[in-house]
Amino acid sequence: MVDLNETLSGRSAEQVLLVDDNPTNLQVLYKTLENSGYTLLAARDGEQALSIAEKAFPSLILLDIMMPGMDGFEVCRRLKANPETRGIPVIFLSALTDTDSKVEGFSLGAVDYISKPFQAEEVRARVRTQLRIHRLEMELARRNAELEDENFQILRAVTEAIFGLDRQGRISSVNPQAESLAGLAQQQCIGENLFTIFDFQSLKPRIEKALVEGERLSLDELKLHTSDGRDLTVAMYCASLEGERRVVVLRDITDWLNNQHALEAAREELHNQRQHLAHMERLSTGGEMAAGIAHEVNQPLTAVSNYARVAQRFLEQEQPDKNKLTEILDKIVVQSQRASDVIQRLRSYIRKPTTEGRLPLDLNTVMQEVVMLAEVDSRINGVAIDFQPAPELPATLADDVQVQQIGLNLIRNAMEAMRGAPEDFGGVLVRTYKDADDVGFAVEDRGCGLSAEMEEKLFSPFVTTKEGGMGVGLSICQAIVQAHGGSIGYRPNPKGGAIFYCQFPVR
């Protein structure tokens, strides 16, 4: 027989405890199993069997029923009553073959029953089978313990509040986040109804229906009132598990919503600031153009004044020539309209965007107005403007004032770049075009072009090559275009100079 102390000091093989008050029976069992690869332990009575089991924790016990003092049934009963030994499988050995004895043995927790006298092959087969089952159960228990521990760690780590429920909404489990959201400890939550802890207001019937019927329910935003008086906004997910079990997941989005509202307010403020800056830039451009506008308006006003004096002289005649007088008056109307048009174009340019926002826009019409507005600069700089509209251009949704601002900025930059250029270079070319699902316009010049260093920071704010310039024109243009979902860019002109282009999605 194997010494118990040696077994405890360095065991590696599975241990089988043999319990029988008859030495001969023990010897037969030992011989039967000695070459099967197990470590064999032996006990001659119930007390010794319990003592060895509590120290060695064998993988299997072969237990005789009929023993003096404490019989096998009582030994099994005590083994199963002890949490540390209740998992050890027991095979009863007995000459008792009646059904009642077998039923009692199984009711006490035995896994098998071998009748005496036994056959060696039968004993080895039954021991081998029960040890294999025991190994599988131990491995399953180990994996379950690992999974339970892993699930517990996951439940503690997630930021959502998770409630385990039955179909009536009674709480069976909570994670720490659920305790925090409810404002109650775990023992205060268990057994309570979810609807006594949270007031889901008008959505309560819908949530109750989902719990009872086991249907999935997902709500992105839900107002609720807690039992301790807090008002929260949460996202909710409800689903059924096995059987009658349900799970409700609540995520507190109160702070997230507050942050979203703050972000939206900040975006609105940024948009307003950009609009204000763009308006100031238009006013600045209008101021720069004032001298040219004054000159442009002065010419038709002078003509009107001269034509009016001529008309007065005609009226002083005894028989004025009505045909000539009509011709003079017509010229006065033409020159007056000319001055009015110049002033109207400037007023349209410097006004703030309309409250209607973006409207269907014909890019050809808008760019024609921009070219007319830039005629004053064209004469001052001595640079002609050639406008080439694309035929049948589809509309885009945009703010006409802001598109005018972009176009005028690019055209004035191009004219300044070509100031002093040879006459055979021509002037600034403005053309509209369609490119896939976009419509756009390009401004081409034959000026000095841009350096590589300037290209890299072209649309950065406060970067300029103009003396006294603010350096915000192109950055404002970029912000406007991006807000419309379009794009603006630059590429070198193959003939020398620069090409700036701007395009918007087709309506």
Side-chain angles (χ1 to χ4, degrees):
M1 299 292 179
V2 174
D3 182 82
L4 178 60
N5 292 328
E6 292 180 2
T7 302
L8 292 176
S9 65
R11 64 189 181 195
S12 58
E14 290 175 299
Q15 300 178 92
V16 178
L17 174 58
L18 311 176
V19 185
D20 200 309
D21 63 313
N22 188 320
T24 302
N25 290 341
L26 277 179
Q27 190 67 31
V28 172
L29 281 173
Y30 186 85
K31 290 294 185 182
T32 300
L33 298 172
E34 66 176 340
N35 295 320
S36 300
Y38 313 126
T39 299
L40 301 177
L41 309 175
R44 294 184 179 180
D45 57 48
E47 294 289 347
Q48 188 180 19
L50 290 174
S51 177
I52 294 174
E54 291 170 359
K55 294 177 182 178
F57 301 106
S59 301
L60 179 66
I61 299 176
L62 273 65
L63 178 60
D64 184 28
I65 293 178
M66 300 180 65
M67 295 185 296
M70 187 186 302
D71 65 11
F73 288 145
E74 182 61 25
V75 173
C76 185
R77 186 178 291 109
R78 295 193 185 187
L79 286 170
K80 299 305 178 182
N82 186 343
E84 295 185 349
T85 58
R86 69 167 52 133
I88 302 174
V90 175
I91 297 177
F92 276 126
L93 302 169
S94 179
L96 299 174
T97 59
D98 59 287
T99 301
D100 290 342
S101 297
K102 292 181 179 180
V103 170
E104 184 177 0
F106 286 124
S107 67
L108 291 173
V111 296
D112 207 347
Y113 195 102
I114 301 176
S115 300
K116 294 181 181 179
F118 49 77
Q119 299 295 320
E121 287 299 323
E122 180 186 4
V123 172
R124 283 193 288 268
R126 291 178 183 269
V127 168
R128 190 164 52 246
T129 298
Q130 292 304 326
L131 285 174
R132 183 168 63 250
I133 293 173
H134 181 63
R135 285 194 296 270
L136 292 174
E137 288 177 343
M138 294 292 287
E139 177 63 19
L140 181 59
R142 184 186 68 80
R143 288 294 301 142
N144 284 339
E146 288 180 354
L147 287 173
E148 287 181 6
D149 182 65
E150 183 178 345
N151 290 339
F152 179 74
Q153 296 298 329
I154 291 173
L155 288 176
R156 289 187 64 86
V158 296
T159 58
E160 288 80 5
I162 301 177
F163 295 86
L165 314 165
D166 62 16
R167 60 184 297 183
Q168 280 74 41
R170 289 187 294 266
I171 299 172
S172 57
S173 64
V174 294
N175 68 341
Q177 288 71 24
E179 294 180 75
S180 175
L181 189 69
L184 299 171
Q186 180 180 11
Q187 59 269 25
Q188 295 174 294
C189 294
I190 303 301
E192 289 291 331
N193 192 287
L194 185 68
F195 300 103
T196 64
I197 295 177
F198 298 114
D199 178 8
F200 293 99
Q201 301 169 18
S202 61
L203 287 173
K204 179 183 176 183
R206 184 178 175 187
I207 299 170
E208 283 182 319
K209 180 175 181 291
L211 291 176
V212 171
E213 299 181 1
E215 64 182 35
R216 292 187 179 184
L217 177 63
S218 181
L219 301 171
D220 293 332
E221 188 174 331
L222 168 66
K223 303 284 187 182
L224 58 81
H225 186 75
T226 66
S227 57
D228 59 356
R230 290 171 294 139
D231 290 311
L232 302 174
T233 306
V234 301
M236 179 181 187
Y237 177 76
C238 175
S240 63
L241 303 178
E242 295 180 0
E244 301 288 299
R245 298 168 62 201
R246 305 287 186 264
V247 62
V248 167
V249 180
L250 299 177
R251 179 163 56 90
D252 187 355
I253 60 173
T254 307
D255 290 341
W256 180 82
L257 281 177
N258 290 337
N259 291 337
Q260 287 296 108
H261 294 154
L263 180 60
E264 189 62 33
R267 285 175 176 165
E268 182 66 22
E269 177 64 21
L270 178 60
H271 174 73
N272 292 337
Q273 291 295 332
R274 282 178 173 170
Q275 291 286 80
H276 179 69
L277 183 60
H279 182 57
M280 294 302 295
E281 200 268 343
R282 285 197 299 275
L283 292 177
S284 175
T285 301
E288 294 174 3
M289 299 169 64
I293 293 292
H295 179 268
E296 187 77 4
V297 171
N298 187 58
Q299 286 183 334
L301 289 181
T302 300
V304 167
S305 177
N306 291 336
Y307 287 134
R309 290 191 182 95
V310 172
Q312 284 178 331
R313 287 197 295 270
F314 267 95
L315 290 173
E316 290 173 356
Q317 297 175 0
E318 291 184 3
Q319 294 182 343
D321 188 336
K322 290 185 179 181
N323 291 331
K324 285 194 175 185
L325 186 59
T326 300
E327 181 181 345
I328 292 171
L329 292 175
D330 288 340
K331 289 180 179 179
I332 290 176
V333 171
V334 169
Q335 294 300 322
S336 299
Q337 187 62 47
R338 177 184 168 190
S340 176
D341 288 344
V342 173
I343 295 173
Q344 184 59 39
R345 286 197 293 270
L346 182 61
R347 288 182 61 188
S348 175
Y349 173 72
I350 64 175
R351 71 179 170 88
K352 288 188 175 182
T354 61
T355 56
E356 289 84 1
R358 299 170 192 172
L359 300 172
L361 206 65
D362 178 11
L363 204 56
N364 282 337
T365 301
V366 175
M367 293 311 298
Q368 179 67 58
E369 293 173 353
V370 172
V371 169
M372 293 172 65
L373 187 61
E375 284 180 353
V376 175
D377 271 346
S378 172
R379 283 189 282 274
I380 291 174
N381 288 286
V383 178
I385 305 176
D386 180 19
F387 178 49
Q388 297 180 1
E392 299 180 359
L393 205 62
T396 181
L397 282 177
D399 185 290
D400 61 337
V401 175
Q402 292 183 329
V403 176
Q404 284 182 2
Q405 179 172 359
I406 298 169
L408 187 60
N409 191 297
L410 298 182
I411 292 173
R412 294 185 75 229
N413 287 348
M415 287 191 296
E416 290 180 11
M418 288 194 66
R419 188 184 299 163
E423 290 186 6
D424 58 354
F425 273 28
V428 173
L429 172 62
V430 180
R431 60 181 179 85
T432 57
Y433 62 87
K434 183 178 184 300
D435 180 17
D437 294 330
D438 292 332
V439 290
F441 64 88
V443 179
E444 304 180 11
D445 68 64
R446 295 285 305 280
C448 56
L450 298 175
S451 65
E453 179 183 2
M454 183 57 66
E455 284 186 39
E456 293 180 0
K457 49 186 178 181
L458 190 58
F459 294 96
S460 300
F462 311 115
V463 174
T464 181
T465 57
K466 302 177 186 177
E467 184 177 351
M470 295 174 61
V472 296
L474 287 179
S475 66
I476 290 174
C477 290
Q478 185 183 55
I480 293 173
V481 174
Q482 290 176 345
H484 282 75
S487 60
I488 185 171
Y490 155 84
R491 62 177 177 268
N493 190 338
K495 300 177 181 179
I499 299 176
F500 281 85
Y501 60 88
C502 173
Q503 53 195 48
F504 303 90
V506 172
R507 177 191 173 194

